Amino acid sequence: MSPSKLELLTAWLPTRPWYRDGGRAPQLSKAGGFRLDDPAGAVGIEFVLVHDGAGPEPITYHVPLTYRGAPLDGADDALVGTSIHGVLGQRWIYDATRDPVAIAQIVALLAGQAQPQAQSMSDTPDPSVVSVGEFPSTAPEFHSALDTPTHTAVAVGSGRSVRVERGLRPEPATPASDRTDTVRVTVPWQIGNGSTVRGVVLAIGA
């Protein structure tokens, strides 16, 4: 893609309230991620994890994106940018927390009704993406998304919300307690020294 995802995110991330400004432009590298399939096959849904080494304390960001072949009505403020794909042509790339197709699939994942897919291979499930608990799902309705300094809260109707973590925190190697009552999705990612850690990217509630 031209420009690349990392090039687009280098310009877009500093405009987000959850970005930790280190006084320099982001220095991004790929850290991990996965995909979800759109049942209609029209929208690409990717959960991008990028490592930023620009600040005094390196950080990994979770940036869910959608890829569309035409603009999404009413979502100008969620547009990350446009890019040319070598096969598909021009693509409009959006913050997936504002895209109803992505929100429906996120809720399906939390409800155990969607299978995470490998980031770079077609038709290949990704077993490293682990869902804990089960979120009852009945046709979620996207209402709003609110960015905070740590996460994006997505209201999905009936008083329910999905917490999309932004600046990721590794889970302890031996957690003091395992909250099995908390519905969440964890994934692995690579940190700056090349080692792999795991943490929460999606959860229910506050």
Side-chain angles (χ1 to χ4, degrees), residues 8-201:
L8 290 174
L9 290 177
T10 296
W12 183 77
L13 280 176
T15 70
R16 302 299 94 191
W18 38 264
Y19 177 72
R20 300 180 191 175
D21 189 355
R24 297 187 296 167
Q27 297 179 358
L28 303 181
S29 59
K30 180 180 175 181
F34 66 99
R35 295 182 301 106
L36 290 176
D37 289 336
D38 169 18
V43 178
I45 306 170
E46 182 181 13
F47 298 79
V48 178
L49 276 60
V50 290
H51 181 79
D52 183 11
E57 295 184 5
I59 185 172
T60 299
Y61 290 105
H62 173 217
V63 190
L65 299 173
T66 55
Y67 306 87
R68 289 175 167 267
L72 175 61
D73 290 343
D76 290 352
D77 60 343
L79 183 68
V80 175
T82 60
S83 185
I84 302 298
H85 189 281
V87 175
L88 300 175
Q90 186 167 6
R91 308 297 285 173
W92 281 258
I93 303 172
Y94 290 93
D95 176 354
T97 65
R98 271 74 175 177
D99 192 318
V101 171
I103 297 307
Q105 292 310 110
I106 287 172
V107 171
L109 175 63
L110 289 163
Q113 299 170 358
Q115 186 174 50
Q117 301 290 312
Q119 190 173 28
S120 303
M121 294 180 286
S122 300
D123 302 316
T124 304
D126 187 345
S128 73
V129 181
V130 177
S131 296
V132 178
E134 188 171 316
F135 180 37
S137 172
T138 54
E141 190 176 330
F142 172 59
H143 285 277
S144 64
L146 175 66
D147 288 320
T148 80
T150 59
H151 66 280
T152 300
V154 182
V156 294
S158 301
R160 300 179 301 175
S161 66
V162 174
R163 179 181 173 117
V164 180
E165 300 293 348
R166 292 302 197 166
L168 299 184
R169 295 176 296 175
E171 292 183 330
T174 54
S177 63
D178 185 13
R179 287 285 306 281
T180 56
D181 60 321
T182 302
V183 181
R184 61 196 186 278
V185 173
T186 69
V187 302
W189 68 88
Q190 288 190 328
I191 56 178
N193 62 11
S195 61
T196 299
V197 297
R198 172 177 287 275
V200 176
V201 291

